[in-house]
Amino acid sequence: LTLDNFKQIGLQSTVYILLAFGEFFAILLAGIDLSVGSVAALTGTFIALMLKAEVPVAVAILVGLLISIVFGIVNGALINALDLHPFVVTLGTNTIFRGITLVISKGSPIYGLPASFKNLSSYVAGFPIPLIFALVMTVILVWFTNNTVAARNLYALGGNKQSAWYSGINTQRYTLFAHILASFLAGIAGVIMTSRVGAAEPTAGDGYETFAIAACIIGGTSFFGGKGKIFGVLLGGLTIGTITNGLNILNVSSYYQKIVMGALIIGSVALEKLVSNSVKN
């Protein structure tokens, strides 16, 4: 229980939080996005390659985030065109995006990134810049989900797709929009992740979709769609970071940590269903 460790928890939680913010919009539609970890890695790899080619940092980040939006368009367009569950589509694109990451990086980390880029994960006034950025994103997304027509339509679509369609909501457009948001926020997580490590690792973010899903469910987002709050997702991400930090301090093997995360997801969904059934009865 030290201030330095709390700062470390905040820094470690940032990537989980940003990925969970993206996952939130996919789960809000009673779907899922299994590709967020691969999108983060691929975005970071593209940015690292541009930085190695001496592209200015700001331009490289902007182009990388625009590329992440393209990944979201691919996910949303495939879901709409094939009329398949997002689980199936994003399971496939998760593998495709990871494969592209391995191909363009040749399976090796990309080192030698400029100090100005790596400084994005440094401290200002004693606090981690990534955590400050995550908190700013929280404020923006809380405003977005509480005050915009687009967000209300997303909640309506997640609550009942058929009713949303009869209400005049373009269900395909908002499905596409949700996955664009998911990939864009995963791309931001990729920027932070690459900056923290100081290199683009082709295996970075592998399995992080589990953390993102866990953070959403722990934070109160319903796996059945139409229910959830961004602030809850923030708390869920910090909870995941705190648990991971505690297990690391106790020298618990990463293998056992995976067991804990899996149990958390099952337990959280089971608890939500139990509470929901109790309210109905």
Side-chain angles (χ1 to χ4, degrees):
L1 292 175
T2 64
L3 180 59
D4 285 342
N5 193 47
F6 281 123
K7 291 178 182 178
Q8 188 62 30
I9 290 172
L11 182 60
Q12 290 176 338
S13 301
T14 301
V15 171
Y16 304 148
I17 291 167
L18 291 171
L19 286 175
F21 283 164
E23 193 70 54
F24 167 80
F25 290 102
I27 294 177
L28 189 64
L29 299 192
I32 199 166
D33 190 339
L34 298 177
S35 70
V36 289
S38 293
V39 168
L42 186 49
T43 301
T45 301
F46 272 121
I47 291 172
L49 289 171
M50 285 186 280
L51 293 174
K52 291 289 287 184
E54 299 185 353
V55 174
V57 171
V59 175
I61 292 174
L62 178 60
V63 172
L65 292 178
L66 289 174
I67 291 173
S68 73
I69 290 174
V70 173
F71 302 146
I73 292 173
V74 170
N75 280 337
L78 285 174
I79 291 167
N80 286 331
L82 301 176
D83 195 25
L84 292 173
H85 193 279
F87 178 92
V88 177
V89 173
T90 59
L91 179 63
T93 56
N94 174 55
T95 306
I96 292 170
F97 295 155
R98 183 66 61 179
I100 295 172
T101 304
L102 291 166
V103 168
I104 65 175
S105 66
K106 299 179 181 178
S108 300
I110 302 171
Y111 294 105
L113 305 184
S116 57
F117 178 72
K118 291 188 282 188
N119 285 341
L120 292 175
S121 289
S122 60
Y123 289 74
V124 60
F127 287 91
I129 293 175
L131 179 58
I132 295 171
F133 185 76
L135 294 175
V136 171
M137 285 302 301
T138 302
V139 173
I140 293 172
L141 291 175
V142 165
W143 175 86
F144 170 76
T145 52
N146 288 337
N147 297 284
T148 65
V149 173
R152 286 196 291 273
N153 288 344
L154 289 173
Y155 276 96
L157 178 56
N160 190 309
K161 184 175 181 179
Q162 189 172 16
S163 294
W165 186 79
Y166 280 126
S167 298
I169 296 172
N170 188 323
T171 55
Q172 289 199 344
R173 179 185 300 169
Y174 280 97
T175 298
L176 180 65
F177 180 52
H179 285 277
I180 288 174
L181 284 175
S183 289
F184 175 69
L185 289 161
I188 295 175
V191 174
I192 300 298
M193 189 164 57
T194 306
S195 173
R196 275 196 63 201
V197 177
E201 295 275 358
T203 57
D206 190 21
Y208 274 30
E209 60 276 0
T210 304
F211 296 113
I213 294 167
C216 289
I217 302 304
I218 291 170
T221 306
S222 174
F223 224 19
F224 308 103
K227 176 185 173 185
K229 297 290 184 183
I230 285 293
F231 189 71
V233 177
L234 171 68
L235 296 180
L238 289 171
T239 300
I240 297 295
T242 303
I243 292 171
T244 303
N245 177 268
L247 293 174
N248 287 335
I249 290 174
L250 293 172
N251 292 319
V252 176
S253 166
S254 61
Y255 305 146
Y256 289 101
Q257 292 186 28
K258 289 183 178 294
I259 296 172
V260 172
M261 288 303 156
L264 274 174
I265 293 174
I266 295 173
S268 298
V269 175
L271 181 62
E272 180 206 350
K273 191 166 182 64
L274 181 65
V275 170
S276 178
N277 289 339
S278 297
V279 170
K280 288 178 182 178
N281 294 332

